[in-house]
Amino acid sequence: MGVVRHVVCAMSGGVDSSVSALLLKRMGYHVTGVFMKNWDSQDERGVCSSERDCEDAYKVCKRLDMPFHQVSYVKEYWHEVFSNLLREYEKGRTPNPDIMCNKHIKFKHFYQYAVNTLGADAMATGHYARTSQEDEEVFQQKHVPPPRTLFRDRFEIRKPARLYQGADRLKDQTFFLSQISQDALRHTIFPLAGLTKDFVKKIAAEAGFQHVLKKKEHCFNSMSNLLKYIEPKPGNFVSIEDGKIMGQHKGWFTLTLGQRARIGGQVDPWFVVDKDITTGDVFVGPTTNHPALFRDTIQTDRFHWIAEDPPAELVRTQMMECLFRFNNRMPLTPCTVTLNLDGSVWVMLREPIRALTPGQFAVLYKGDECLGSGKIIRLGPTKFTLQKGQDCLSCPPKDTNQQHPEMRESLM
């Protein structure tokens, strides 16, 4: 009989992680369940939700006869995720806390705890995703520290683990895993890789996990947490079309591009199309598909490639055709990517997309492989700006002091 492998499974108290632990047990592994506490919060009844989740996770582990641990990353979450969240909102951006939680908490601190403290051969999570490795390959991986220099040693021969979409494309969570490290991915098993959400629920019901079946999995709570820590900065809603003040808002950090603007006294809906954090103005357009909401070009910060190196095609030609999304619910969109000398990328979309937003992550795919992601830091011109530019070419010169608000194009 072979050596029994030790797998540490992240337990959230939800159905996905519970079924993951069950499947690992059925595969014959020695499984330890660990609950992570990342935030202190209470529900509308004053009950601490993390304590309830922890209790639900413990019940599953007890039923499966598994060791159970709990670990707190409240301090780490505050410093590495939430503080960054506040800074991004104050800059006028709209960050993605779930991607950052996976990068800094689950696939860094928790991964190190599983391997170094609990002595795990591998870790597992309930994400709907898969890798290029078979389970046995995961157990054979050695820990490789990240490179101290900008690039890895080019003479180092190592086959990277690839991240692929799971079988359930509607539930696929590779978007949220697009910033995790190669080292953590090489030591991770995704037991739900080949399953659909409906089938996972069926397994949970048959196993008697009734208490977790209807729960929602979550990483971050809500905007209400932010409101406690950011000073309100009221300002004006301004029409993008004629510069008219339409009303007042309570703080531009609570508003993101594309959302409906709640403007008192307005019968017809208006939508946020731009923000000026220096004046506090929030520019709005009168329709949900206003041309000021559509762009086809963005730039990211230094791009995080899951395989650590950019694809060979991109390195060779500095340009590559692939697929793009900046929201996990949006369909994949064809694009052309250009690699810059500083490691950032320009993404040129085949067609303009609504509400591309600074602070969100541009996630790239090649087929069903998730290549990685980069934070959107700069936006190209909108259709509205380009239309205005074309109109200006055929118009007589105007007073340059009367510049249209959209024409200053905020590149946050």
Side-chain angles (χ1 to χ4, degrees), residues 149-391:
T149 56
L150 194 58
F151 298 101
R152 288 194 298 110
D153 180 355
R154 63 194 179 98
F155 297 107
E156 177 190 342
I157 300 175
R158 186 154 67 95
K159 182 181 177 182
R162 306 282 180 176
L163 178 65
Y164 295 104
Q165 292 178 296
D168 191 335
R169 295 302 171 89
L170 294 177
K171 184 62 178 173
D172 172 62
Q173 291 174 302
T174 52
F175 179 88
F176 300 110
L177 301 172
S178 60
Q179 281 276 313
I180 67 174
S181 72
Q182 173 66 197
D183 192 46
L185 182 62
R186 290 166 70 87
H187 291 84
T188 300
I189 296 173
F190 297 117
L192 307 185
L195 305 181
T196 64
K197 181 74 174 188
D198 287 342
F199 193 66
V200 167
K201 288 182 176 179
K202 184 172 182 287
I203 295 173
E206 291 174 350
F209 296 161
Q210 302 298 332
H211 65 293
V212 301
L213 264 174
K214 296 182 180 180
K215 292 183 62 176
K216 291 182 179 180
E217 306 256 349
H218 53 83
C219 183
F220 180 69
N221 297 86
S222 67
M223 175 63 75
S224 61
N225 289 314
L226 291 167
L227 300 179
K228 303 173 186 176
Y229 301 102
I230 300 180
E231 180 184 353
K233 296 179 180 178
N236 295 322
F237 281 119
V238 180
S239 170
I240 195 69
E241 297 196 324
D242 57 15
K244 178 183 176 182
I245 295 177
M246 306 299 297
Q248 282 72 45
H249 61 80
K250 296 180 180 179
W252 42 256
F253 60 84
T254 64
L255 301 164
T256 190
L257 303 191
Q259 80 172 80
R260 181 172 177 175
R262 306 292 178 182
I263 306 176
Q266 296 296 321
V267 177
D268 297 322
W270 287 73
F271 297 84
V272 177
V273 300
D274 201 359
K275 295 188 286 187
D276 188 335
I277 63 173
T278 58
T279 65
D281 290 340
V282 172
F283 294 95
V284 291
T287 61
T288 184
N289 289 320
H290 193 279
L293 276 171
F294 287 83
R295 292 174 164 90
D296 61 7
T297 308
I298 59 164
Q299 184 184 7
T300 72
D301 62 0
R302 182 171 180 79
F303 201 86
H304 172 78
W305 301 101
I306 288 174
E308 292 187 333
D309 294 324
E313 173 189 354
L314 185 58
V315 173
R316 187 173 62 253
T317 66
Q318 270 73 58
M319 194 170 288
M320 178 180 71
E321 303 289 326
C322 58
L323 300 170
F324 161 91
R325 66 164 47 121
F326 78 103
N327 182 308
N328 68 303
R329 294 187 181 91
M330 69 176 282
L332 290 168
T333 301
C335 69
T336 300
V337 175
T338 303
L339 182 63
N340 301 317
L341 290 175
D342 62 358
S344 67
V345 301
W346 278 102
V347 180
M348 289 146 283
L349 301 158
R350 184 176 295 178
E351 56 188 39
I353 287 182
R354 182 182 185 275
L356 290 166
T357 306
Q360 290 288 295
F361 283 85
V363 183
L364 300 180
Y365 291 80
K366 195 77 167 175
D368 63 350
E369 180 184 358
C370 178
L371 300 175
S373 65
K375 185 170 66 178
I376 299 173
I377 59 169
R378 186 165 287 114
L379 303 175
T382 66
K383 288 174 62 177
F384 187 70
T385 299
L386 296 174
Q387 289 169 6
K388 286 289 181 181
Q390 291 174 350
D391 292 343

Side-chain angles (χ1 to χ4, degrees), residues 44-85:
E44 61 277 4
R45 295 170 297 176
V47 178
C48 182
S49 57
S50 63
E51 290 180 6
R52 186 178 61 244
D53 291 338
C54 183
E55 184 177 338
D56 289 339
Y58 171 72
K59 288 179 182 177
V60 171
C61 290
K62 187 175 182 181
R63 188 179 186 91
L64 296 177
D65 193 25
M66 287 167 39
F68 175 78
H69 298 266
Q70 53 181 310
V71 61
S72 174
Y73 293 122
V74 171
K75 183 175 72 173
E76 290 82 358
Y77 188 91
W78 175 270
H79 290 296
E80 298 178 49
V81 179
F82 193 71
S83 294
N84 175 265
L85 209 65

